[in-house]
Amino acid sequence: MADRFVIFGVPIDKVTMKNAVDTVENFLLEDRLHIVATPNAEIVMMAQNDDEYKEILNKTDLNVPDGSGVIFASKIYKEELPERVAGFDLMMELIKIASLKHYKIYLLGAKADVVKGAYLNLKSRYQGIDIVGFHDGYFSEIDEEEIINDINEKKTDLLFVALGAPKQEKWIYKNRNKLNAKVAIGVGGSFDVIAGKVTRAPEIYRKLGLEWFYRLMKEPWRYKRMMALPKFAMKVLFSKKSV
């Protein structure tokens, strides 16, 4: 595993997309659950007020640098992360590999029509993809055991969980000893993009680190959540590096 850059108590692995994909492929060879998280500035700020969440992020197997904010912070602290590894892009790279190597995929989360739409679009886009099951994210604790049994019975390799942060990481961690999947990744709103319900920012915005700005223009009601970004930047500029 590569070195980790720790920002305000949240570790982030110094990996490129290729490093991250290779690491997950190695995880898929091992017979245990591996947890992958995708910390960005918003997630780091969530963890400042949620000790449970911060502890979970310190116990994952891989934390990829998802977001221009954490890249900015690493430069300020002269501990540069090599590149942004967006969770959505990592998911799509893994799906591509899974379709070629016949890894079994399970989709969990989002609304019922969204996860079904994601399933159908992936099936039509990738020949040979093996999506063994899917379930929406609106389930009770009573349904949880049945869902976990379904994931396990279908011998899932890659479990993509779209419950939003921090719920998705907490759900995975809480059930880590029950899940027999090889890799579980929290993927936020990725199913909405795959299903065609939400448009991702154009590449120029992503390259300039302005994906958040595009999302804010498209979804102005998200401004309260977006306030985490300037707060994070100010905290980076005016705080000493966390150890």
Side-chain angles (χ1 to χ4, degrees), residues 97-151:
I97 289 167
S99 67
L100 295 172
K101 297 189 176 182
H102 307 294
Y103 291 122
K104 298 180 188 301
I105 296 170
Y106 198 105
L107 308 176
L108 176 64
K111 294 179 180 178
D113 64 319
V114 171
V115 68
K116 184 175 181 180
Y119 165 79
L120 293 172
N121 285 347
L122 288 173
K123 289 287 284 185
S124 66
R125 192 182 309 175
Y126 295 97
Q127 186 176 6
I129 195 169
D130 191 6
I131 302 176
V132 294
F134 63 89
H135 196 288
D136 66 76
Y138 294 83
F139 55 87
S140 66
E141 286 193 25
I142 297 171
D143 303 320
E144 203 168 82
E145 186 176 351
E146 185 180 339
I147 292 169
I148 291 171
N149 287 339
D150 191 42
I151 291 167

Side-chain angles (χ1 to χ4, degrees), residues 22-32 34 101 103 157 182-183:
D22 289 346
T23 299
V24 174
E25 282 209 84
N26 286 331
F27 289 164
L28 288 165
L29 300 176
E30 298 179 19
D31 194 20
R32 72 172 183 85
H34 300 76
K101 297 189 176 182
Y103 291 122
D157 296 306
K182 303 290 182 62
V183 176

Side-chain angles (χ1 to χ4, degrees), residues 18 24 37 54 61 103 114 135 156 163 168 190-191 196 205 216-217 228 243:
K18 184 180 185 307
V24 174
K54 186 184 288 185
D61 296 280
Y103 291 122
V114 171
H135 196 288
T156 301
L163 299 177
Q168 58 198 16
S190 295
F191 295 173
Y205 283 85
L216 185 59
M217 288 193 297
V243 178

Side-chain angles (χ1 to χ4, degrees), residues 138-182:
Y138 294 83
F139 55 87
S140 66
E141 286 193 25
I142 297 171
D143 303 320
E144 203 168 82
E145 186 176 351
E146 185 180 339
I147 292 169
I148 291 171
N149 287 339
D150 191 42
I151 291 167
N152 292 341
E153 287 170 5
K154 290 176 175 172
K155 301 186 186 304
T156 301
D157 296 306
L158 276 166
L159 172 62
F160 295 109
V161 183
L163 299 177
K167 185 178 179 180
Q168 58 198 16
E169 288 82 18
K170 289 185 176 184
W171 187 87
I172 293 168
Y173 190 76
K174 181 186 76 171
N175 294 298
R176 67 193 183 283
N177 295 322
K178 298 178 183 177
L179 290 164
N180 293 335
K182 303 290 182 62

Side-chain angles (χ1 to χ4, degrees), residues 28-70:
L28 288 165
L29 300 176
E30 298 179 19
D31 194 20
R32 72 172 183 85
L33 180 70
H34 300 76
I35 302 174
V36 179
T38 61
N40 55 20
E42 186 179 353
I43 285 175
V44 172
M45 292 305 286
M46 282 181 192
Q48 302 312 294
N49 301 309
D50 189 335
D51 290 340
E52 178 194 1
Y53 193 32
K54 186 184 288 185
E55 184 178 355
I56 290 169
L57 292 171
N58 274 271
K59 292 181 177 178
T60 52
D61 296 280
L62 177 67
N63 287 344
V64 300
D66 182 352
S68 55
V70 294

